[in-house]
């Protein structure tokens, strides 16, 4: 895929989801980091339900360390992998206090030093909390990029990110990240994607394969009607 083809795809998705944005509720970089950490293998909707009470109870790193691990686990029990995530949160808060004056660092390499914070989480925080252009490749971005041909089916997450960074203008990285997520979450779903009404079907080999039986059936029906 070249930049011109990617531009056409981006323009179509922009028309479909002009208001795409981060759907994790937060009011500061610290809350966003916690929310993204919790969102691994969990829906944003569930995370937002949990953080509605969590962010009322815990305001600062010190607050998460003032309770037992078991209590924090209970507070996030509706989240998948809640035991590991509770441990990561407390370890992250300890490191924030010991090394970063209790504040979320604004440098990517320092963010990834935090327990539970990988490259994807760091990209989300950098772009949404600090306004630094970044493309975070989550399951939706990965799936859509491969279906539309911006990346190969066997590309790693890092390879997908690098290819998107080359194809998309830097000033559009963050917005593209959100729009690809919306496209994947609400239209090009993992199961039962909306291929029949997709304006990008011609770009999608998988979509064409899905639609082939439908087209063949319609062709047979037309022949029977003649």
């Amino acid at each position: 895929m070249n930049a011109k083809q990617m531009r056409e795809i981006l323009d179509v998705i922009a028309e479909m989801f002009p208001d795409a944005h981060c759907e994790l509720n937060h009011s500061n970089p610290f809350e966003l980091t916690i929310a993204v950490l919790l969102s691994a293998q969990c829906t944003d909707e569930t995370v937002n339900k949990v953080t509605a009470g969590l962010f009322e109870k815990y305001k600062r790193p010190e607050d998460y360390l003032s309770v037992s691990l078991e209590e924090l686990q209970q507070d996030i029990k509706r989240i998948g992998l809640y035991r590991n995530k509770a441990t990561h949160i407390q370890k992250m808060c300890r490191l924030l206090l010991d090394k970063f004056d209790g504040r979320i660092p604004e440098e990517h390499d320092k963010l990834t030093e935090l327990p539970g914070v990988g490259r994807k989480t760091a990209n989300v925080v950098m772009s949404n909390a600090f306004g630094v252009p970044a493309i975070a490749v989550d399951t939706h971005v990965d799936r859509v990029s491969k279906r539309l041909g911006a990346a190969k089916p066997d590309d790693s997450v890092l390879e997908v990110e690098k290819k998107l960074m080359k194809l998309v203008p830097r000033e559009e990285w963050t917005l593209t990240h959100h729009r690809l997520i919306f496209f994947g979450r609400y239209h090009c779903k993992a199961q039962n994607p909306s291929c029949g009404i997709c304006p990008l079907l011609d770009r999608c080999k998988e979509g064409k394969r899905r639609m082939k039986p439908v087209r063949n059936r319609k062709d047979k029906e037309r022949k029977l009607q003649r």
Side-chain angles (χ1 to χ4, degrees):
M1 177 176 291
N2 57 42
K4 181 180 178 182
Q5 292 170 325
M6 190 69 200
R7 177 78 271 158
E8 293 171 355
I9 289 174
L10 294 179
D11 289 345
V12 170
I13 295 178
E15 289 182 9
M16 296 175 68
F17 302 104
D19 301 318
H21 59 280
C22 177
E23 292 191 296
L24 291 171
N25 296 333
H26 64 281
S27 60
N28 56 58
F30 179 58
E31 289 185 353
L32 177 60
T33 305
I34 296 289
V36 181
L37 189 156
L38 292 174
S39 72
Q41 299 183 39
C42 185
T43 66
D44 287 2
E45 181 180 5
T46 299
V47 172
N48 286 336
K49 289 178 180 178
V50 170
T51 56
L54 194 73
F55 293 161
E56 284 295 318
K57 181 176 181 179
Y58 304 99
K59 303 292 186 180
R60 306 169 302 156
E62 293 92 334
D63 299 331
Y64 287 94
L65 295 171
S66 68
V67 300
S68 67
L69 178 61
E70 290 72 22
E71 182 174 344
L72 180 56
Q73 288 176 350
Q74 287 301 310
D75 289 335
I76 63 171
K77 196 171 183 179
R78 284 183 288 172
I79 299 285
L81 305 175
Y82 70 94
R83 290 187 178 88
N84 286 338
K85 291 176 181 179
T87 299
H88 284 148
I89 288 172
Q90 288 198 331
K91 287 182 177 179
M92 180 185 75
C93 289
R94 172 51 58 196
L95 186 59
L96 286 176
L97 291 171
D98 291 346
K99 189 173 181 178
F100 300 109
D101 297 321
R103 300 171 63 86
I104 296 295
E106 298 185 25
E107 295 81 16
H108 194 280
D109 58 338
K110 292 181 180 179
L111 272 169
T112 55
E113 290 182 33
L114 302 176
V117 176
R119 184 175 182 84
K120 185 204 77 172
T121 298
N123 283 353
V124 173
V125 174
M126 290 296 295
S127 58
N128 290 280
F130 303 125
V132 178
I135 296 178
V137 179
D138 70 349
T139 181
H140 300 297
V141 175
D142 184 75
R143 180 177 67 255
V144 169
S145 298
K146 291 175 179 178
R147 283 181 175 176
L148 296 179
K152 295 179 180 180
D154 59 348
D155 279 346
S156 67
V157 170
L158 182 58
E159 288 171 331
V160 173
E161 180 185 336
K162 289 181 177 179
K163 288 183 177 180
L164 289 174
M165 289 169 67
K166 289 181 179 179
L167 291 168
V168 179
R170 188 175 188 275
E171 64 273 14
E172 296 181 40
W173 286 355
T174 300
L175 187 54
T176 293
H177 157 74
H178 292 312
R179 285 175 174 166
L180 289 176
I181 287 178
F182 269 54
F183 185 77
R185 180 175 290 161
Y186 301 114
H187 180 80
C188 188
K189 301 176 182 179
Q191 303 295 328
N192 300 317
S194 303
C195 301
I197 58 171
C198 184
L200 294 172
L201 182 61
D202 289 342
R203 298 278 186 188
C204 182
K205 291 182 179 180
E206 182 176 336
K208 290 177 181 178
R209 286 197 298 269
R210 287 174 179 271
M211 293 303 297
K212 190 173 182 179
V214 176
R215 290 173 176 171
N216 290 342
R217 186 178 68 249
K218 289 182 178 179
D219 289 341
K220 290 180 181 179
E221 291 174 352
R222 291 192 191 98
K223 289 179 181 179
L224 290 173
Q225 291 173 356
R226 292 175 182 173

